[in-house]
Amino acid sequence: MRPLRWALLIRKGVLKLDERLIDIFPEESPADPSENLKLLTVRDVLCMGCGMDAMPRPTVDWIRDFMHTPVNHKPGTAFMYNSTGSSILGAIVRKKNRGRASGIFEQTLVL
């Protein structure tokens, strides 16, 4: 069911596959992001192709930690299961839905 939910959010325009994470989370991003981080998009996160060699350790500032994790490979070229990346997708939905994730999937199911 989750892939269907993400697909519906993309179809409705809530998620945009080519949107860069540094544009979604500018306040959590490094002041001088790497070239690979600048390339990281929603599509890369959905496909588990963030280009990272390791996941950040979970802390209170987990979005910032994710955005500061080295992106050693060009996004989309190296696969690594990244559970923090999955959580980032939820954070994107919350941010685009004014701080709430609840209800947006149900709203999206109404075509």
Side-chain angles (χ1 to χ4, degrees), residues 27-32 37 52 56 61-71:
E27 55 283 333
E28 288 91 354
S29 297
D32 187 23
L37 180 58
M52 298 171 177
D61 296 320
W62 64 275
I63 296 173
R64 183 193 174 286
D65 297 340
F66 181 88
M67 297 302 293
H68 285 256
T69 299
V71 180

Side-chain angles (χ1 to χ4, degrees), residues 2-3 10 14 17 32-33 55-56 63 68 72 77-78 84 101 103 111:
R2 285 190 181 130
I10 292 164
V14 175
L17 291 176
D32 187 23
M55 288 187 292
I63 296 173
H68 285 256
N72 298 321
T77 65
T84 308
L111 303 173

